Amino acid sequence: MSAIRGEKKLGFFTRVLDQVGSGDRLRLALEQIVHAESFGFDSAWVAQHHFNPHEGGLPSPFVFLSHVAAHTSRIRLGTGIVTLPLENAVRVAEDAAVFDLLSNGRLELGVGSGGTPSAFATFGRNPADRSRDFAAGLRVLRQALAGEPLGRNRNRLSPPAPRLTEAIWQATFSPAGGTRAGRAGDGLLLSRTQQRSPRTPNLTLAEIQDPIVDAYLEALPAGVAPRISGARTVFVADDRRTALRFAEAGLRRAAAQFRAAGQIVLGDTLPELITEFDVHLGTPEEVTASLSADPILERATDLVFQVHSVDPPHEYILRSIELIATQVAPALGWAPALGSPAPALS
Protein backbone atom coordinates (compact mmCIF):
# COMPACT_ATOMS: atom_id res chain seq x y z
CA MET A 1 0.00 0.00 0.00
CA SER A 2 3.03 2.31 -0.21
CA ALA A 3 2.71 5.57 -2.13
CA ILE A 4 4.80 6.32 -5.21
CA ARG A 5 6.99 9.33 -4.55
CA GLY A 6 7.82 11.99 -7.13
CA GLU A 7 5.91 14.31 -9.39
CA LYS A 8 2.67 13.16 -10.96
CA LYS A 9 2.01 13.24 -14.69
CA LEU A 10 -1.38 14.38 -15.97
CA GLY A 11 -3.20 12.72 -18.85
CA PHE A 12 -6.41 13.22 -20.82
CA PHE A 13 -8.16 10.14 -22.21
CA THR A 14 -10.81 10.00 -24.92
CA ARG A 15 -12.80 7.12 -26.37
CA VAL A 16 -14.00 9.50 -29.12
CA LEU A 17 -17.63 9.35 -27.99
CA ASP A 18 -19.07 12.84 -28.49
CA GLN A 19 -22.75 12.67 -29.43
CA VAL A 20 -22.20 13.80 -33.03
CA GLY A 21 -21.39 12.20 -36.39
CA SER A 22 -18.21 10.19 -36.95
CA GLY A 23 -16.23 12.96 -38.63
CA ASP A 24 -17.18 15.48 -35.98
CA ARG A 25 -16.26 13.00 -33.25
CA LEU A 26 -12.70 12.91 -34.57
CA ARG A 27 -12.57 16.68 -34.98
CA LEU A 28 -13.81 17.33 -31.43
CA ALA A 29 -11.42 14.76 -29.94
CA LEU A 30 -8.56 16.58 -31.68
CA GLU A 31 -9.72 19.91 -30.27
CA GLN A 32 -9.90 18.43 -26.78
CA ILE A 33 -6.36 17.08 -26.97
CA VAL A 34 -5.01 20.37 -28.34
CA HIS A 35 -6.81 22.14 -25.49
CA ALA A 36 -5.30 19.73 -22.96
CA GLU A 37 -1.81 20.42 -24.31
CA SER A 38 -2.38 24.17 -24.01
CA PHE A 39 -3.19 23.69 -20.33
CA GLY A 40 -0.03 21.70 -19.66
CA PHE A 41 -1.32 18.12 -19.74
CA ASP A 42 1.57 15.68 -20.12
CA SER A 43 -0.21 13.03 -22.18
CA ALA A 44 -3.30 12.24 -24.22
CA TRP A 45 -4.63 8.72 -24.72
CA VAL A 46 -7.06 7.15 -27.17
CA ALA A 47 -8.80 3.80 -27.06
CA GLN A 48 -9.24 1.36 -29.93
CA HIS A 49 -12.71 -0.07 -30.50
CA HIS A 50 -14.16 -1.99 -33.44
CA PHE A 51 -17.71 -1.90 -34.85
CA ASN A 52 -19.64 -0.64 -31.81
CA PRO A 53 -20.00 3.17 -31.90
CA HIS A 54 -21.41 3.19 -28.34
CA GLU A 55 -18.16 1.74 -26.97
CA GLY A 56 -15.79 3.98 -28.86
CA GLY A 57 -15.37 5.75 -32.16
CA LEU A 58 -11.81 4.86 -33.12
CA PRO A 59 -10.68 1.58 -34.73
CA SER A 60 -7.38 3.02 -36.06
CA PRO A 61 -5.50 4.79 -33.25
CA PHE A 62 -2.18 5.32 -35.08
CA VAL A 63 -3.92 7.05 -38.00
CA PHE A 64 -5.74 9.43 -35.69
CA LEU A 65 -2.75 10.07 -33.45
CA SER A 66 -0.64 10.97 -36.49
CA HIS A 67 -3.18 13.68 -37.23
CA VAL A 68 -3.04 14.81 -33.60
CA ALA A 69 0.77 14.89 -33.68
CA ALA A 70 0.65 17.31 -36.61
CA HIS A 71 -1.46 19.71 -34.52
CA THR A 72 0.53 19.46 -31.27
CA SER A 73 4.16 19.80 -30.31
CA ARG A 74 4.78 18.54 -26.79
CA ILE A 75 2.03 16.36 -25.36
CA ARG A 76 2.82 12.64 -25.33
CA LEU A 77 0.36 10.52 -27.29
CA GLY A 78 -0.70 7.10 -26.09
CA THR A 79 -2.73 4.11 -27.19
CA GLY A 80 -4.97 2.98 -24.40
CA ILE A 81 -5.12 0.36 -25.79
CA VAL A 82 -4.25 -1.46 -28.99
CA THR A 83 -6.15 -4.76 -28.77
CA LEU A 84 -3.17 -6.96 -29.56
CA PRO A 85 -4.98 -10.30 -30.09
CA LEU A 86 -6.81 -8.75 -33.06
CA GLU A 87 -3.63 -7.37 -34.65
CA ASN A 88 -0.53 -8.60 -36.43
CA ALA A 89 2.16 -7.73 -33.89
CA VAL A 90 4.78 -6.96 -36.56
CA ARG A 91 2.40 -4.50 -38.22
CA VAL A 92 1.73 -2.88 -34.86
CA ALA A 93 5.49 -2.47 -34.39
CA GLU A 94 5.82 -0.94 -37.88
CA ASP A 95 2.97 1.53 -37.34
CA ALA A 96 4.32 2.42 -33.90
CA ALA A 97 7.83 2.97 -35.28
CA VAL A 98 6.66 5.28 -38.08
CA PHE A 99 4.35 7.21 -35.77
CA ASP A 100 7.08 7.67 -33.17
CA LEU A 101 9.32 9.23 -35.83
CA LEU A 102 6.54 11.51 -37.09
CA SER A 103 5.73 12.66 -33.55
CA ASN A 104 9.37 13.25 -32.53
CA GLY A 105 9.38 10.39 -30.04
CA ARG A 106 6.07 11.09 -28.30
CA LEU A 107 4.40 7.66 -28.46
CA GLU A 108 3.32 5.76 -25.35
CA LEU A 109 2.41 2.26 -26.55
CA GLY A 110 -0.41 0.78 -24.50
CA VAL A 111 -1.56 -2.75 -25.33
CA GLY A 112 -4.08 -5.15 -23.91
CA SER A 113 -6.07 -8.30 -24.50
CA GLY A 114 -9.51 -6.68 -24.23
CA GLY A 115 -12.17 -6.07 -26.79
CA THR A 116 -15.81 -6.94 -27.35
CA PRO A 117 -16.11 -10.72 -27.82
CA SER A 118 -18.25 -10.26 -30.95
CA ALA A 119 -15.38 -8.39 -32.62
CA PHE A 120 -13.09 -11.40 -32.35
CA ALA A 121 -15.19 -13.51 -34.70
CA THR A 122 -15.10 -10.81 -37.37
CA PHE A 123 -11.29 -10.94 -37.24
CA GLY A 124 -11.33 -14.74 -37.33
CA ARG A 125 -10.17 -14.99 -33.72
CA ASN A 126 -11.57 -16.82 -30.72
CA PRO A 127 -12.11 -14.64 -27.63
CA ALA A 128 -11.38 -17.69 -25.48
CA ASP A 129 -7.80 -17.55 -26.80
CA ARG A 130 -7.25 -13.87 -26.08
CA SER A 131 -4.80 -14.38 -23.19
CA ARG A 132 -2.68 -16.81 -25.19
CA ASP A 133 -2.80 -14.62 -28.31
CA PHE A 134 -1.95 -11.52 -26.30
CA ALA A 135 1.11 -13.15 -24.76
CA ALA A 136 2.32 -14.35 -28.16
CA GLY A 137 1.66 -10.98 -29.80
CA LEU A 138 3.41 -9.06 -27.04
CA ARG A 139 6.45 -11.30 -27.34
CA VAL A 140 6.70 -10.64 -31.09
CA LEU A 141 6.03 -6.91 -30.62
CA ARG A 142 8.82 -6.65 -28.08
CA GLN A 143 11.23 -8.60 -30.30
CA ALA A 144 10.43 -6.37 -33.27
CA LEU A 145 10.93 -3.14 -31.36
CA ALA A 146 14.19 -4.43 -29.90
CA GLY A 147 15.53 -5.01 -33.41
CA GLU A 148 15.70 -8.79 -33.07
CA PRO A 149 15.45 -11.00 -36.20
CA LEU A 150 11.88 -11.95 -37.06
CA GLY A 151 10.55 -15.06 -38.73
CA ARG A 152 12.15 -17.53 -41.05
CA ASN A 153 13.80 -14.83 -43.18
CA ARG A 154 15.30 -13.12 -40.11
CA ASN A 155 14.03 -9.67 -41.12
CA ARG A 156 14.41 -6.76 -38.73
CA LEU A 157 12.08 -3.85 -38.09
CA SER A 158 12.63 -0.87 -40.38
CA PRO A 159 12.60 1.90 -39.38
CA PRO A 160 14.09 0.72 -36.08
CA ALA A 161 12.38 1.79 -32.85
CA PRO A 162 14.44 0.63 -29.85
CA ARG A 163 13.14 3.51 -27.68
CA LEU A 164 9.68 2.00 -27.74
CA THR A 165 10.77 -1.06 -25.76
CA GLU A 166 10.71 1.29 -22.77
CA ALA A 167 7.40 2.92 -23.74
CA ILE A 168 5.18 -0.19 -23.53
CA TRP A 169 2.23 -0.19 -21.13
CA GLN A 170 0.05 -3.19 -20.32
CA ALA A 171 -3.63 -2.91 -19.39
CA THR A 172 -5.01 -5.46 -16.98
CA PHE A 173 -7.88 -6.18 -14.61
CA SER A 174 -6.05 -8.78 -12.50
CA PRO A 175 -3.09 -9.19 -10.13
CA ALA A 176 -1.68 -11.81 -12.54
CA GLY A 177 -1.64 -9.14 -15.22
CA GLY A 178 0.06 -6.76 -12.80
CA THR A 179 2.76 -9.36 -12.21
CA ARG A 180 3.22 -9.84 -15.96
CA ALA A 181 3.58 -6.09 -16.60
CA GLY A 182 5.92 -5.61 -13.64
CA ARG A 183 8.15 -8.53 -14.51
CA ALA A 184 8.60 -7.09 -18.01
CA GLY A 185 9.37 -3.61 -16.67
CA ASP A 186 6.41 -2.19 -18.60
CA GLY A 187 3.97 0.46 -17.47
CA LEU A 188 0.69 -0.54 -15.80
CA LEU A 189 -2.62 0.77 -17.15
CA LEU A 190 -5.46 0.65 -14.61
CA SER A 191 -9.04 1.05 -15.76
CA ARG A 192 -11.41 3.87 -14.80
CA THR A 193 -13.94 1.24 -13.64
CA GLN A 194 -14.12 -2.52 -13.16
CA GLN A 195 -17.00 -4.95 -12.91
CA ARG A 196 -17.58 -6.28 -9.42
CA SER A 197 -18.02 -9.92 -8.61
CA PRO A 198 -21.58 -10.79 -7.51
CA ARG A 199 -19.98 -12.06 -4.30
CA THR A 200 -18.35 -8.69 -3.55
CA PRO A 201 -20.54 -6.03 -5.19
CA ASN A 202 -19.61 -3.33 -2.69
CA LEU A 203 -15.85 -3.32 -3.15
CA THR A 204 -14.44 0.08 -4.01
CA LEU A 205 -12.39 0.47 -7.17
CA ALA A 206 -9.30 1.04 -5.03
CA GLU A 207 -9.91 -2.20 -3.12
CA ILE A 208 -10.07 -4.06 -6.44
CA GLN A 209 -7.00 -2.40 -7.90
CA ASP A 210 -4.70 -2.31 -4.85
CA PRO A 211 -3.75 -6.00 -5.27
CA ILE A 212 -2.95 -5.33 -8.93
CA VAL A 213 -0.58 -2.51 -7.97
CA ASP A 214 0.94 -4.65 -5.20
CA ALA A 215 1.63 -7.47 -7.67
CA TYR A 216 3.10 -5.05 -10.21
CA LEU A 217 5.49 -3.41 -7.74
CA GLU A 218 6.56 -6.75 -6.27
CA ALA A 219 7.44 -8.09 -9.73
CA LEU A 220 9.17 -4.94 -10.99
CA PRO A 221 12.93 -5.55 -11.46
CA ALA A 222 15.28 -3.69 -9.15
CA GLY A 223 16.24 -0.29 -10.49
CA VAL A 224 13.27 -0.02 -12.86
CA ALA A 225 11.09 2.99 -12.08
CA PRO A 226 7.37 2.19 -11.78
CA ARG A 227 4.93 3.59 -14.33
CA ILE A 228 1.37 3.32 -13.05
CA SER A 229 -1.49 5.03 -14.84
CA GLY A 230 -4.54 5.53 -12.66
CA ALA A 231 -7.44 6.27 -15.01
CA ARG A 232 -10.58 7.79 -13.54
CA THR A 233 -13.87 9.21 -14.78
CA VAL A 234 -13.79 12.89 -13.88
CA PHE A 235 -16.19 15.67 -14.86
CA VAL A 236 -15.54 19.06 -13.30
CA ALA A 237 -18.04 21.88 -13.76
CA ASP A 238 -18.45 25.37 -12.37
CA ASP A 239 -21.39 24.20 -10.24
CA ARG A 240 -22.66 20.85 -9.03
CA ARG A 241 -26.08 21.25 -10.62
CA THR A 242 -24.52 21.35 -14.08
CA ALA A 243 -22.40 18.28 -13.35
CA LEU A 244 -25.42 16.31 -12.12
CA ARG A 245 -27.55 17.37 -15.07
CA PHE A 246 -25.15 15.88 -17.59
CA ALA A 247 -24.41 12.87 -15.38
CA GLU A 248 -28.12 12.05 -15.28
CA ALA A 249 -28.29 11.88 -19.07
CA GLY A 250 -24.92 10.25 -19.69
CA LEU A 251 -24.97 7.59 -17.00
CA ARG A 252 -28.54 6.54 -17.77
CA ARG A 253 -27.60 6.23 -21.44
CA ALA A 254 -24.54 4.15 -20.51
CA ALA A 255 -26.56 1.95 -18.14
CA ALA A 256 -29.14 1.27 -20.87
CA GLN A 257 -26.39 0.29 -23.30
CA PHE A 258 -24.79 -2.03 -20.74
CA ARG A 259 -28.11 -3.72 -20.01
CA ALA A 260 -28.86 -4.11 -23.73
CA ALA A 261 -25.52 -5.89 -24.08
CA GLY A 262 -26.46 -8.32 -21.31
CA GLN A 263 -24.33 -6.77 -18.58
CA ILE A 264 -25.68 -6.31 -15.07
CA VAL A 265 -26.18 -2.77 -13.81
CA LEU A 266 -27.50 -2.83 -10.25
CA GLY A 267 -28.04 0.89 -9.74
CA ASP A 268 -31.12 2.84 -10.73
CA THR A 269 -30.97 6.18 -8.94
CA LEU A 270 -28.41 8.75 -10.05
CA PRO A 271 -26.30 8.44 -6.83
CA GLU A 272 -26.25 4.67 -7.32
CA LEU A 273 -25.12 5.01 -10.93
CA ILE A 274 -22.41 7.51 -9.94
CA THR A 275 -21.09 4.95 -7.46
CA GLU A 276 -21.43 1.97 -9.80
CA PHE A 277 -19.66 3.72 -12.68
CA ASP A 278 -16.94 5.06 -10.35
CA VAL A 279 -17.53 8.70 -11.29
CA HIS A 280 -15.91 11.76 -9.71
CA LEU A 281 -17.91 14.86 -10.50
CA GLY A 282 -18.89 18.29 -9.26
CA THR A 283 -17.08 21.53 -8.56
CA PRO A 284 -13.28 21.64 -8.43
CA GLU A 285 -13.37 21.48 -4.65
CA GLU A 286 -15.74 18.49 -4.64
CA VAL A 287 -13.75 16.56 -7.25
CA THR A 288 -10.47 17.30 -5.49
CA ALA A 289 -11.87 15.91 -2.25
CA SER A 290 -13.26 12.84 -4.01
CA LEU A 291 -10.02 12.04 -5.83
CA SER A 292 -7.92 12.71 -2.73
CA ALA A 293 -9.82 9.90 -1.00
CA ASP A 294 -8.78 7.41 -3.72
CA PRO A 295 -5.59 5.64 -2.52
CA ILE A 296 -4.81 4.31 -6.00
CA LEU A 297 -4.15 7.84 -7.23
CA GLU A 298 -1.63 8.33 -4.44
CA ARG A 299 0.19 5.25 -5.74
CA ALA A 300 -0.07 6.22 -9.42
CA THR A 301 2.65 8.02 -11.33
CA ASP A 302 0.19 9.19 -13.98
CA LEU A 303 -3.26 10.65 -13.30
CA VAL A 304 -5.33 10.05 -16.43
CA PHE A 305 -8.82 11.52 -16.54
CA GLN A 306 -11.72 10.99 -18.95
CA VAL A 307 -15.34 12.15 -19.03
CA HIS A 308 -16.85 8.77 -19.99
CA SER A 309 -19.52 7.68 -19.15
CA VAL A 310 -20.90 11.14 -18.35
CA ASP A 311 -20.01 12.36 -21.86
CA PRO A 312 -21.16 15.98 -21.59
CA PRO A 313 -21.18 18.29 -24.63
CA HIS A 314 -17.87 19.38 -26.11
CA GLU A 315 -17.75 22.84 -24.55
CA TYR A 316 -18.21 21.34 -21.08
CA ILE A 317 -15.41 18.85 -21.73
CA LEU A 318 -13.13 21.77 -22.61
CA ARG A 319 -14.14 23.55 -19.42
CA SER A 320 -13.54 20.40 -17.37
CA ILE A 321 -10.03 20.14 -18.86
CA GLU A 322 -9.34 23.73 -17.80
CA LEU A 323 -10.60 23.21 -14.25
CA ILE A 324 -8.66 19.96 -13.85
CA ALA A 325 -5.41 21.60 -14.94
CA THR A 326 -5.78 24.80 -12.95
CA GLN A 327 -7.45 23.61 -9.74
CA VAL A 328 -7.87 19.86 -9.30
CA ALA A 329 -4.60 18.31 -10.50
CA PRO A 330 -2.32 20.79 -8.70
CA ALA A 331 -4.00 19.80 -5.44
CA LEU A 332 -3.14 16.16 -6.20
CA GLY A 333 0.59 16.77 -6.67
CA TRP A 334 0.80 17.73 -10.34
CA ALA A 335 2.52 20.77 -11.82
CA PRO A 336 2.73 21.65 -15.53
CA ALA A 337 6.06 21.00 -17.18
CA LEU A 338 8.43 23.90 -17.57
CA GLY A 339 7.74 25.70 -20.80
CA SER A 340 4.07 24.73 -20.86
CA PRO A 341 2.24 27.12 -18.55
CA ALA A 342 -1.51 26.90 -18.54
CA PRO A 343 -3.20 29.88 -20.18
CA ALA A 344 -5.15 32.26 -18.01
CA LEU A 345 -8.86 31.56 -17.70
CA SER A 346 -11.17 34.25 -18.99
Side-chain angles (χ1 to χ4, degrees), residues 37-85:
E37 180 179 69
S38 74
F39 274 84
F41 276 65
D42 300 289
S43 65
W45 299 77
V46 296
Q48 180 186 47
H49 291 93
H50 298 285
F51 311 123
N52 187 343
H54 299 307
E55 269 202 343
L58 186 62
S60 305
F62 292 113
V63 175
F64 176 69
L65 288 178
S66 291
H67 182 60
V68 174
H71 290 79
T72 56
S73 62
R74 178 194 55 79
I75 195 167
R76 304 194 67 77
L77 301 171
T79 57
I81 53 159
V82 172
T83 306
L84 207 51

Side-chain angles (χ1 to χ4, degrees), residues 132-329:
R132 181 200 67 190
D133 292 346
F134 173 74
L138 183 57
R139 182 173 60 254
V140 172
L141 175 65
R142 203 183 305 279
Q143 290 170 343
L145 296 176
E148 296 179 14
L150 302 168
R152 184 175 302 172
N153 294 326
R154 313 290 284 174
N155 290 317
R156 297 178 190 270
L157 187 68
S158 179
R163 185 197 75 81
L164 292 179
T165 60
E166 298 181 358
I168 297 173
W169 299 70
Q170 294 189 42
T172 185
F173 292 107
S174 71
T179 297
R180 182 189 62 226
R183 186 177 294 132
D186 294 338
L188 176 67
L189 294 174
L190 298 172
S191 177
R192 67 191 171 94
T193 188
Q194 288 191 217
Q195 283 195 315
R196 273 67 168 178
S197 165
R199 294 172 298 177
T200 54
N202 296 319
L203 283 180
T204 67
L205 185 57
E207 288 171 334
I208 296 171
Q209 292 182 339
D210 261 328
I212 302 175
V213 176
D214 288 340
Y216 171 77
L217 293 175
E218 184 175 345
L220 201 66
V224 176
R227 290 179 288 136
I228 302 171
S229 170
R232 292 295 183 262
T233 293
V234 172
F235 175 45
V236 190
D238 289 296
D239 60 86
R240 185 167 182 80
R241 180 179 297 180
T242 297
L244 291 174
R245 175 162 57 94
F246 289 117
E248 180 86 44
L251 294 179
R252 292 203 179 282
R253 180 172 58 241
Q257 292 165 358
F258 274 55
R259 289 179 176 125
Q263 298 185 43
I264 297 175
V265 178
L266 298 176
D268 185 54
T269 68
L270 180 56
E272 289 171 339
L273 291 174
I274 289 171
T275 298
E276 190 160 353
F277 281 84
D278 299 297
V279 177
H280 302 263
L281 85 169
T283 65
E285 295 77 15
E286 290 169 328
V287 172
T288 298
S290 178
L291 292 172
S292 296
D294 184 339
I296 289 294
L297 298 188
E298 185 179 3
R299 307 184 78 186
T301 60
D302 293 62
L303 312 175
V304 179
F305 299 140
Q306 53 187 293
V307 294
H308 321 299
S309 293
V310 175
D311 294 310
H314 175 63
E315 60 269 27
Y316 289 91
I317 295 176
L318 297 182
R319 181 58 174 160
S320 184
I321 288 170
E322 297 170 2
L323 293 172
I324 288 171
T326 57
Q327 298 188 46
V328 176

